[in-house]
Amino acid sequence: MEVNAAPLKTLGKIAHGQSVEIMEISSDCGRAGRLAALGFLPGRRVRISRIAPLGDPISIEMDGQEISLRRSEADLIGVKEIA
Amino acid sequence: MTAAVDTKKRPARIALLGNPNTGKSTIFNRLTGLRQHIANYPGITVEMKTGAMLVGDQQVEVLDLPGAYSLAAASPDERVVMDALDGRMGKRPPDLIVCVLDATNLKRNLLLVSQAAELEIPMLVVLNQWDAVKRNGLRIDADLLADRLGVPVVTTVAKRGGGLEELKKAISHSLDEPRRIPRILWPEFIDEARDIVRNGLEETGNDVTGPEALRMIFDTDSAFADKIGHREKLKPLLKSARDRIRSHGMNPASAEPVLHYRHIEAVLDGVIEGDGMVARTRDSVDALLLNRFWGSLIFFAVMYVVFQSLYAWAGPVMDLIEAGTGWVQDLVSPLLEGTPVLQSLVSDGIIAGVGGVIVFLPQILLLFFFIAILEDTGYLARAAFLMDKLFGWCGLNGKSFVPLLSGYACAIPGVMAARTLEDPKARLTTILMTPFMSCSARLPIYVLLIGAFVEPVYGPLVAGWTLFLMHFVGAVVAMPMAWFMNRCILKIKAQPFILEMPDYRVPTLRNVTIRMWERGRAFLIQAGTVILSISIIVWALLYFPRPDEVAAKTREAFIAEKSSAMPADALAAELANPESDLSHKLDHRIGGAYIEQSYLGQFGKAVQPVFDPAGFDWKITVGVLSSFPAREVIIATMGIIYNLGADVDEGSDDLRSIIAQEKWHEGPRKGQPVYTLPVVIGLMVFFALCMQCGATVAVIAKELSWKWAVASFATMTVIAWVAAVLIYQIGSRL
Ligand SMILES: Nc1nc2c(ncn2[C@@H]2O[C@H](COP(=O)(O)OP(=O)(O)OP(=O)(O)O)[C@@H](O)[C@H]2O)c(=O)[nH]1
């Protein structure tokens, strides 16, 4: 898949409140498949809506739903920040 | 393809399929009433319920499948959904799949439906939580959706019973006139990939269905591969199938969802109106409940109430049950006066055993009352979100908090509460950790020993701290063990910790009572019978062989000892009166003598050498051994062993002073006190770490399997022994 010139960030490293577009999902890993099944797919837009008081997990808003993931797993998702 | 199901010949079967938290169980309960039971399948720890509903005058069997986001399966627990639909579980496939969807989240909910359509089983789609659709500012065209899918679509508000009659009619109709959702049209290379695997396996004589082959290709850690076997053969096949997908520019890990979602978006085009905005109330409530300061404060307040209810509020009811048990014993005992064996069996074995089962009910019911409320309101997910970081490192997750906390009151409800964890691996780990938490039955032995040995020497402050610290011994040992087990022993692949933040909802009384009833019943029927059997076996070990001469000899020795202090006729008169002080003393002495010669007592003496490195004499050893079925009996057993009778409690000064004066009668330590500080600490730590609770073993066996129950029992025993030995050996050299 063609990837943008700007280096991708991973979802686990995105700041609170930031919206992002998903660019890619890490390949060949069962856990990534699970995230894809939840709808974390290239092209979708999501927002970091909350961060747990202890810093992990993070809560992600997608399609009006909120799903929380651990940062380590959110890092399987490559994203691009959008305004 | 079969035409209409002939319901006259065999009862039709329907299965409820859906994502977690969509309302499947609620619909299941509405359809079946209370005509349901828990289906047990070997090797599977998730719960599947089956029930019966009436369609017209026909019985229809209803199967409630565990909630799942996808048919992907990395463990047998997850595979059960696919196995059940595929007819791989000793039963034919269901005649109808009733897909229960959360109407406010159609896109994601349809993935599972789209995957299941691959199986070509007739389907019916239920849009549940229809009430929330309007509230969330959405409009859904259910008729259009039905057109697009090609199967009937019913809308329901299961929580309040709305639409249930229509659903029943639709089920009846669908059984007569089955309709299928057409399979998704895969790109050619997916079909090719599937054929690579199917044809490759055909040579081995192993026939996998097309849908199963797809699962193995799409899911990297597929549990289907385990079932098929032929690993060496399968591996290159799967690799070349995946390479085929990759060569078409798709990532095999996400190819399936990408293609399904493409299809789903086409299906949903024009079906949903509205922007699906996040419910405003949820956002503002979350801002409070997930706030660093207020959120934590509220969390601890809520958990305090839950814990306090188990620890304190359940107490009076439990006392009442114990009193009731005593009352029944007193009532029945005299009837069997003529046959002492039967009298003891009925009173101390059966009645005490039944009482010992029922006594757990108040805590179980209370805990599931709170869990039902916490889950239904949506708070449990928030609590898990707050706590996850604390538990994640050792393979548990945020949802482990409630089971572990409950474990501090009693491991039984705690182990049962681990059902709230969806992830099989985290659930298993949580269950195995729960018995390490310092339950309230461990308190008496701590109080006795600290009161007898720590407080008199080091004062109340140190005593208080010792008691406090004893409560963390188990957790401190358990957490690294959990980490180790997750790293090195458990073969199950870790799954992402996915936590949906549901909308806040008002719990319904109906659901809460059903949850309590379900768990209470399951405990009584499944674990209760095992606990009762254990209690009868232990009774027998403590009662037999009971030769008569033990009583006679003890009596003689007692009279000989006392006659030096008082005239023979006065002694005889005292002993003739069963209520006199001396008679009680004699009875206690006989009780002690019988326990010494019982099978368990003999066994205790025989295995004393095993506990010798921990500094335990045979009396402590018998006490420890007889506490394996239920640790709370230790005080009463010690009372009997030290000839004080079973009625002592942990505050008893007699018991404290007797054990403080207890000396070794023989062996190398002859004349030295038995209870030195290292022995006392070692003994307390032994109790902290050992699973001395038959009921816990029984419940773990029911929740997981006997294999796990025995393994965790053995492991905890060994750990407890090692710890006690280390403490004694190091402590007595300092
Ligand atoms: N607003 C609304 N809530 C509902 C409705 N039906 C069920 N619920 C709630 O949704 C939650 C989940 O319901 P369950 O029946 O436990 O869901 P489930 O699909 O069996 O969940 P799992 O057991 O996790 O698979 C409960 O809090 C219900 O009260 C409905 O029609 N409307």
Side-chain angles (χ1 to χ4, degrees):
Chain A
M1 210 178 282
E2 197 63 23
V3 179
N4 284 25
L8 289 183
K9 282 193 172 183
T10 57
L11 188 57
K13 310 236 167 7
I14 300 298
H16 180 203
Q18 177 70 49
S19 294
V20 297
E21 180 177 337
I22 297 176
M23 305 304 289
E24 63 175 21
I25 307 286
S26 126
S27 60
D28 268 346
C29 162
R31 291 185 304 166
R34 292 306 170 90
L35 298 182
L38 286 173
F40 289 98
L41 291 173
R44 294 270 185 112
R45 297 190 164 195
V46 302
R47 192 175 74 95
I48 307 294
S49 56
R50 213 170 291 283
I51 292 178
L54 298 172
D56 201 15
I58 57 177
S59 180
I60 298 152
E61 190 187 309
M62 173 170 64
D63 275 347
Q65 305 288 325
E66 259 187 87
I67 289 185
S68 97
L69 297 177
R70 289 182 182 153
R71 286 183 195 270
S72 57
E73 273 132 14
D75 279 338
L76 298 169
I77 300 169
V79 297
K80 187 181 75 179
E81 297 188 348
I82 51 179
Chain B
M1 287 289 128
T2 49
V5 182
D6 188 354
T7 40
K8 293 198 188 60
K9 289 214 181 96
R10 48 174 201 193
R13 301 179 64 228
I14 63 176
L16 299 181
L17 176 75
N19 286 6
N21 238 335
T22 51
K24 259 184 311 84
S25 308
T26 313
I27 288 186
F28 177 77
N29 290 333
R30 292 273 179 186
L31 288 179
T32 62
L34 296 176
R35 294 177 299 265
Q36 46 174 273
H37 66 270
I38 293 159
N40 277 318
Y41 292 96
I44 288 164
T45 64
V46 288
E47 183 175 286
M48 263 209 286
K49 284 180 291 186
T50 60
M53 68 177 277
L54 282 178
V55 173
D57 53 356
Q58 303 293 335
Q59 279 248 335
V60 173
E61 193 186 326
V62 189
L63 178 65
D64 186 18
L65 296 169
Y69 292 112
S70 150
L71 287 180
S75 67
D77 276 337
E78 293 174 312
R79 205 181 64 202
V80 31
V81 177
M82 181 79 171
D83 281 353
L85 297 181
D86 219 11
R88 286 250 181 198
M89 259 178 352
K91 290 205 169 172
R92 66 199 152 80
D95 302 299
L96 176 70
I97 301 177
V98 177
C99 303
V100 181
L101 314 193
D102 172 356
T104 64
N105 196 359
L106 275 188
K107 202 198 280 179
R108 194 194 67 208
N109 276 253
L110 277 169
L111 177 82
L112 185 67
V113 177
S114 187
Q115 286 178 325
E118 195 72 28
L119 295 162
E120 304 192 285
I121 297 170
M123 284 197 192
L124 167 65
V125 168
V126 180
L127 305 184
N128 190 39
Q129 311 203 12
W130 194 247
D131 53 328
V133 170
K134 275 189 225 106
R135 226 183 308 129
N136 286 15
L138 294 170
R139 256 201 318 264
I140 297 174
D141 189 340
D143 294 332
L144 182 58
L145 183 63
D147 266 1
R148 296 264 172 83
L149 291 175
V151 299
V153 172
V154 185
T155 61
T156 60
V157 184
K159 196 161 86 166
R160 279 186 256 112
L164 259 291
E165 283 315 309
E166 289 80 353
L167 174 59
K168 282 181 194 165
K169 273 192 211 115
I171 289 174
S172 157
H173 192 73
S174 292
L175 285 172
D176 290 337
E177 262 178 58
R179 304 274 287 276
R180 294 175 180 79
I181 297 180
R183 288 172 38 194
I184 166 176
L185 273 181
W186 295 110
E188 226 163 65
F189 59 89
I190 300 279
D191 287 331
E192 286 162 19
R194 178 180 52 205
D195 291 341
I196 292 176
V197 174
R198 286 193 76 183
N199 297 340
L201 277 178
E202 210 163 5
E203 296 163 21
T204 69
N206 223 313
D207 81 295
V208 292
T209 62
E212 284 172 332
L214 283 180
R215 289 264 58 90
M216 292 193 286
I217 297 169
F218 291 139
D219 309 341
T220 317
D221 312 305
S222 180
F224 294 95
D226 299 342
K227 191 172 64 175
I228 305 296
H230 298 287
R231 285 209 156 266
E232 350 51 69
K233 182 99 186 113
L234 198 55
K235 233 179 168 176
L237 287 176
L238 291 180
K239 187 174 177 314
S240 65
R242 285 185 193 137
D243 284 343
R244 182 65 54 97
I245 296 176
R246 212 175 275 117
S247 71
H248 284 78
M250 291 203 87
N251 172 354
S254 57
E256 189 206 16
V258 166
L259 293 168
H260 273 302
Y261 275 120
R262 228 176 253 172
H263 172 69
I264 290 166
E265 268 160 23
V267 166
L268 284 182
D269 183 44
V271 170
I272 308 177
E273 265 180 72
D275 55 0
M277 55 167 193
V278 182
R280 292 273 138 66
T281 48
R282 179 173 76 188
D283 252 8
S284 52
V285 179
D286 272 350
L288 177 71
L289 290 184
L290 299 179
N291 176 282
R292 190 178 299 244
F293 177 73
W294 293 110
S296 311
L297 202 69
I298 293 169
F299 172 80
F300 284 113
V302 169
M303 291 304 148
Y304 178 79
V305 170
V306 172
F307 181 69
Q308 196 60 19
S309 73
L310 299 188
Y311 204 82
W313 305 347
V317 188
M318 294 167 75
D319 290 345
L320 216 65
I321 292 170
E322 268 158 15
T325 310
W327 182 78
V328 176
Q329 282 171 327
D330 291 345
L331 199 73
V332 174
S333 251
L335 306 178
L336 301 166
E337 203 73 75
T339 41
V341 183
L342 199 62
Q343 181 187 32
S344 180
L345 168 66
V346 170
S347 169
D348 302 336
I350 297 174
I351 299 177
V354 171
V357 172
I358 298 178
V359 79
F360 290 113
L361 263 190
Q363 287 177 323
I364 292 173
L365 296 180
L366 263 175
L367 182 59
F368 277 91
F369 168 78
F370 283 112
I371 286 182
I373 290 184
L374 292 178
E375 265 200 332
D376 282 5
T377 51
Y379 187 71
L380 200 66
R382 270 78 182 181
F385 182 69
L386 290 175
M387 284 295 115
D388 185 59
K389 181 78 185 281
L390 284 183
F391 294 99
W393 65 275
C394 61
L396 306 176
N397 69 38
K399 288 198 171 174
S400 308
F401 188 87
V402 170
L404 294 181
L405 178 76
S406 315
Y408 269 97
C410 177
I412 314 292
V415 167
M416 293 173 72
R419 285 173 176 277
T420 50
L421 281 88
E422 292 89 6
D423 178 49
K425 191 171 178 180
R427 177 158 173 257
L428 170 66
T429 318
T430 304
I431 288 180
L432 298 180
M433 293 307 111
T434 304
F436 278 102
M437 304 301 120
S438 188
C439 71
S440 59
R442 285 170 168 114
L443 195 59
I445 186 80
Y446 298 163
V447 170
L448 172 73
L449 294 176
I450 291 173
F453 301 101
V454 179
E455 195 171 348
V457 185
Y458 301 95
L461 192 68
V462 176
W465 273 102
T466 314
L467 185 60
F468 181 71
L469 291 176
M470 282 312 298
H471 282 85
F472 295 96
V473 171
V476 165
V477 172
M479 299 285 261
M481 272 201 38
W483 177 86
F484 175 77
M485 205 173 78
N486 259 281
R487 275 303 172 90
C488 311
I489 302 178
L490 289 182
K491 294 275 164 18
I492 313 168
K493 280 272 180 4
Q495 287 308 318
F497 178 57
I498 294 161
L499 197 57
E500 245 190 290
M501 297 289 183
D503 285 339
Y504 288 101
R505 298 168 177 141
V506 182
T508 58
L509 185 65
R510 186 189 156 99
N511 186 29
V512 173
T513 39
I514 286 181
R515 292 282 291 277
M516 293 168 68
W517 182 84
E518 254 174 26
R519 293 276 71 85
R521 192 178 89 127
F523 171 77
L524 284 185
I525 294 175
Q526 301 192 327
T529 44
V530 179
I531 299 171
L532 181 60
S533 326
I534 293 177
S535 109
I536 291 174
I537 292 170
V538 172
W539 164 83
L541 290 177
L542 274 172
Y543 189 85
F544 294 110
R546 194 164 280 259
D548 289 334
E549 69 263 22
V550 170
K553 277 210 188 103
T554 312
R555 194 184 168 90
E556 263 168 44
F558 186 78
I559 291 174
E561 182 191 313
K562 295 291 170 194
S563 58
S564 57
M566 61 196 301
D569 47 347
L571 184 61
E574 283 263 338
L575 289 180
N577 171 11
E579 292 309 318
S580 75
D581 230 30
L582 271 185
S583 291
H584 281 303
K585 281 214 172 99
L586 176 57
D587 284 347
H588 292 159
R589 186 93 50 107
I590 294 175
Y594 268 128
I595 210 175
E596 187 177 347
Q597 63 70 51
S598 71
Y599 288 124
L600 198 70
Q602 293 173 21
F603 183 65
K605 284 191 158 175
V607 298
Q608 187 273 331
V610 174
F611 287 94
D612 196 70
F616 296 180
D617 67 354
W618 77 262
K619 291 184 180 174
I620 302 181
T621 306
V622 172
V624 164
L625 287 179
S626 62
S627 307
F628 269 96
R631 56 173 71 85
E632 55 270 31
V633 305
I634 180 67
I635 304 293
T637 311
M638 286 176 89
I640 300 175
I641 295 175
Y642 293 109
N643 298 336
L644 293 171
D647 295 333
V648 293
D649 64 31
E650 63 273 21
S652 155
D653 287 331
D654 287 345
L655 185 55
R656 286 182 185 188
S657 67
I658 278 199
I659 59 176
Q661 287 158 20
E662 186 72 6
K663 299 233 169 22
W664 286 92
H665 294 299
E666 57 203 5
R669 284 164 288 200
K670 186 166 178 176
Q672 295 172 16
V674 174
Y675 290 85
T676 60
L677 199 59
V679 170
V680 168
I681 302 285
L683 186 55
M684 284 198 291
V685 169
F686 187 90
F687 269 81
L689 297 178
C690 198
M691 194 199 286
Q692 292 168 305
C693 181
T696 306
V697 179
V699 168
I700 294 179
K702 291 306 161 195
E703 296 288 316
L704 295 173
S705 67
W706 274 105
K707 194 187 83 188
W708 278 114
V710 171
S712 67
F713 173 80
T715 312
M716 288 183 73
T717 308
V718 171
I719 291 175
W721 180 85
V722 169
V725 168
L726 280 180
I727 290 170
Y728 179 72
Q729 295 298 339
I730 296 172
S732 44
R733 280 176 176 74
L734 290 181

